[in-house]
Amino acid sequence: MKKLYIKTFGCQMNENDAERVYLLLKDNFKPVDNPEEADLILINTCSVREKPEHKLYSEIGRYKELKLRRPEIIIGAMGCVAQQEGERLFERFPYLDLVLGTQGFYRIREALEELIKTGKPVAYTELKEDFKIPLVLPEDNSKKMKPKRVKAYISIMQGCDNFCTYCIVPYVRGREISRPPEEILKEAEELVKKEGVKEITLLGQNVNSYGLKESGYPDFADLLVMLFQIEGLFRIRFTTSHPKDLSEKLMRVIAENPKVCKHIHLPLQAGSNKILKRMNRKYTKEEYLEKVEKLRSLCPEIAITSDIIVGFPGESEEDFLETLDMLEKVRFHEVFSFKYSDRPFTSARKFEDKVSEEIKEARLKKVHEVQARITEEIYGSYVGKEVEVLVEGKSERDPQKLTGRTTTNVVVNFTAPRTGLEGALVKVLITEAGKHSLKGEYKKTLVF
Ligand code: 5AD
Ligand code: SF4
């Protein structure tokens, strides 16, 4: 067996792609944790924000010396940055062997054969509109005593058609393509049956528009209903939702079915209508608030999290204050905030009224401050309550404790009478709230 090392930087979608590569190569390669031992090293990166791109370059750089020592080692780049840079990466890094784009990585076996046959670097970076996402089924771990993992991801679609003006995704992941529902169902069933998975997170850039482009496909709400049928699956999560496509039908499915987690990631991006329009988000702040209100009236316990970009070109102090005001109005459980950065191909990179680095820094700090207070208040409100937690394993910080998440996606570390509860749904009494997690005491096991 040859040895494979994949280093992933970036989002859950990239992590899921890495998993698919492991499965595609599982007959000839086994995964290793140390790149020094590997026969094949893949660096898998996302290019949504600037940093991961730099990480790819420094990570490839790290392997130069290794390649000089062991020229037979194969080094490849995959993911969005590979898609974005294509064959240019070979000029920058002459010792790189493979560049596999966001559709191209599925042809990894073919790429390896071609590389070995021709001895020349191979790049697969075509983006096809009619690309069919291959079905890659999980490994069979059903004979093992312990469930291999509690949680898994399934990409239900690829690409995006929304063209928010700051965003590179439509250019590096291509047009939106939904996977056939029966394949998603089959993958989910196999994950539950063969790997003992209890919680599945459905991934897509905009899951709310799942199936809408294809004739005869269910919409996203109906897809969720199909997945409820799987016996042994306790929880379903999904990410990301675009506010403009969040339908009342979906809100009702979330509210009414206990298997759907009571959490939605609903990126707001900015609080000013002027900026939202320049971002091409296709909703106003009033429309966003209306959706939140409707959602909360149907499902009062739902946790809403969000993404915020500060310092988008043309963002004035007043515009920014509207973002802060939205944080106060919505009261998100948690917010991921970013300084605007120019990305290749996007239209915002050509906007002229750029905001200075100092102002972006100050605004980001302010968002952190305001949101930290709100998150603390919300987390504090859990104290004294009993919540359901899906046990993921031992807490990393304190191995005496177990860790898991509430249906609202908050991490809970708790004391338990015994270990071996991985994969169980348990009741926990929350005793203390921290900044990023909750602490509690085990009460009883609900389902195992
Ligand atoms: N600059 C800053 N943040 C960005 N994001 C996407 N593109 C950019 C950019 N050019 C953020 C958005 C998105 C999240 C995944 O990354 O908030 O929701
Ligand atoms: Fe990017 Fe907008 Fe598509 Fe999200 S919806 S992936 S931000 S273009």
Side-chain angles (χ1 to χ4, degrees):
M1 272 299 220
K2 287 196 177 320
K3 292 171 186 159
L4 165 64
Y5 174 79
I6 307 184
K7 178 85 188 173
T8 298
F9 297 107
C11 63
Q12 293 153 331
M13 192 91 63
N14 281 62
E15 274 169 33
N16 190 242
D17 288 349
E19 217 160 88
R20 301 188 130 223
V21 170
Y22 282 126
L23 290 170
L24 287 165
L25 294 177
K26 72 171 190 298
D27 293 341
N28 309 91
F29 286 86
K30 68 169 200 220
V32 288
D33 296 330
N34 178 5
E36 294 278 331
E37 312 170 15
D39 302 291
L40 170 60
I41 296 178
L42 290 170
I43 306 144
N44 176 27
T45 46
C46 147
S47 57
V48 169
R49 292 176 302 275
E50 223 158 5
K51 270 196 206 142
E53 194 177 307
H54 295 312
K55 279 192 192 147
L56 172 77
Y57 299 150
S58 65
E59 188 73 13
I60 302 179
R62 279 182 53 188
Y63 300 122
K64 185 175 179 179
E65 188 259 334
L66 189 61
K67 181 82 176 182
L68 283 174
R69 260 196 286 133
R70 288 177 48 210
E72 71 285 2
I73 199 167
I74 299 173
I75 302 180
M78 62 176 275
C80 309
V81 184
Q83 184 66 47
Q84 173 194 318
E85 294 298 316
E87 296 188 13
R88 276 199 300 267
L89 287 173
F90 293 138
E91 288 161 29
R92 196 170 171 153
F93 304 101
Y95 52 94
L96 193 65
D97 300 295
L98 301 172
V99 172
L100 299 170
T102 52
Q103 294 179 356
F105 78 83
Y106 285 103
R107 292 165 62 204
I108 174 106
R109 301 184 72 93
E110 193 185 326
L112 288 171
E113 271 170 32
E114 194 180 323
L115 176 74
I116 290 160
K117 207 159 81 193
T118 65
K120 294 206 184 88
V122 179
Y124 292 160
T125 53
E126 210 184 344
L127 274 188
K128 287 195 191 145
E129 271 202 34
D130 59 352
F131 178 69
K132 233 186 123 295
I133 302 164
L135 178 65
V136 185
L137 291 174
E139 273 184 282
D140 193 345
N141 283 296
S142 53
K143 310 251 162 16
K144 299 188 184 153
M145 291 299 284
K146 248 172 63 179
K148 190 180 156 227
R149 52 188 175 153
V150 176
K151 306 198 289 186
Y153 296 113
I154 300 182
S155 292
I156 62 166
M157 56 212 294
Q158 255 201 349
C160 182
D161 289 348
N162 286 313
F163 292 93
C164 300
T165 54
Y166 52 80
C167 184
I168 195 174
V169 168
Y171 306 94
V172 290
R173 288 203 169 256
R175 292 291 64 70
E176 188 180 292
I177 304 163
S178 296
R179 290 178 60 199
E182 55 286 355
E183 287 192 4
I184 297 168
L185 191 63
K186 174 137 179 84
E187 199 175 321
E189 280 171 347
E190 300 238 331
L191 281 167
V192 173
K193 204 164 68 200
K194 294 186 175 168
E195 295 221 36
V197 164
K198 299 289 195 279
E199 178 183 296
I200 286 175
T201 304
L202 305 175
L203 298 177
Q205 304 296 341
N206 176 12
V207 292
N208 299 173
S209 62
Y210 172 83
L212 299 183
K213 270 168 65 174
E214 263 75 28
S215 66
Y217 277 28
D219 63 14
F220 184 60
D222 290 334
L223 180 74
L224 284 178
V225 174
M226 275 173 66
L227 293 168
F228 295 159
Q229 321 306 330
I230 301 174
E231 224 177 289
L233 179 64
F234 296 169
R235 283 176 164 186
I236 304 173
R237 297 186 186 279
F238 54 87
T239 195
T240 290
S241 294
H242 193 306
K244 79 176 165 64
D245 298 312
L246 175 59
S247 67
E248 188 172 329
K249 179 176 169 187
L250 177 59
M251 293 183 197
R252 288 189 187 278
V253 169
I254 301 170
E256 286 161 17
N257 198 288
K259 279 196 181 179
V260 190
C261 287
K262 305 299 178 243
H263 166 231
I264 190 165
H265 186 62
L266 197 64
L268 167 67
Q269 310 296 5
S272 132
N273 287 339
K274 179 188 99 190
I275 298 297
L276 286 171
K277 194 159 175 69
R278 296 191 93 197
M279 287 177 159
N280 191 31
R281 289 293 287 173
K282 302 187 184 88
Y283 54 82
T284 60
K285 71 168 174 186
E286 290 79 12
E287 284 161 350
Y288 187 96
L289 285 171
E290 250 172 60
K291 294 227 169 167
V292 165
E293 211 174 296
K294 180 89 211 169
L295 186 57
R296 286 194 170 139
S297 73
L298 292 167
C299 187
E301 71 272 38
I302 197 154
I304 306 175
T305 56
S306 207
D307 289 345
I308 294 287
I309 297 177
V310 298
F312 186 77
E315 185 187 69
S316 66
E317 196 56 31
E318 290 72 45
D319 294 322
F320 174 63
L321 290 177
E322 288 188 66
T323 298
L324 291 184
D325 185 51
M326 284 295 277
L327 298 185
E328 301 285 357
K329 283 203 168 90
V330 181
R331 292 180 63 80
F332 297 110
H333 253 62
E334 202 181 343
V335 163
F336 303 93
S337 46
F338 314 102
K339 287 188 282 185
Y340 167 80
S341 70
D342 280 339
R343 309 304 300 121
F345 318 117
T346 61
S347 51
R349 87 181 201 283
K350 296 193 217 99
F351 293 178
E352 276 171 4
D353 33 6
K354 297 276 157 64
V355 173
S356 74
E357 205 44 44
E358 297 89 290
I359 294 183
K360 282 196 272 191
E361 194 61 56
R363 289 182 185 167
L364 189 72
K365 210 168 145 228
K366 191 74 200 165
V367 168
H368 284 162
E369 252 171 56
V370 169
Q371 187 55 42
R373 189 198 76 235
I374 295 171
T375 298
E376 207 172 325
E377 285 164 8
I378 294 176
Y379 280 19
S381 70
Y382 279 88
V383 176
K385 288 188 183 144
E386 285 194 359
V387 296
E388 267 181 41
V389 173
L390 178 66
V391 186
E392 289 170 24
K394 283 187 190 146
S395 159
E396 256 176 47
R397 278 234 191 119
D398 179 356
Q400 308 284 29
K401 287 187 174 168
L402 293 177
T403 189
R405 281 170 192 260
T406 63
T407 177
T408 52
N409 210 30
V410 181
V411 173
V412 181
N413 297 309
F414 60 99
T415 50
R418 61 184 178 91
T419 52
L421 280 171
E422 284 87 354
L425 209 50
V426 300
K427 258 249 143 86
V428 174
L429 171 70
I430 301 301
T431 52
E432 209 180 312
K435 279 189 166 53
H436 305 288
S437 61
L438 303 172
K439 284 186 187 160
E441 284 163 16
Y442 166 91
K443 286 283 148 193
K444 63 176 179 196
T445 298
L446 300 167
V447 205
F448 203 13

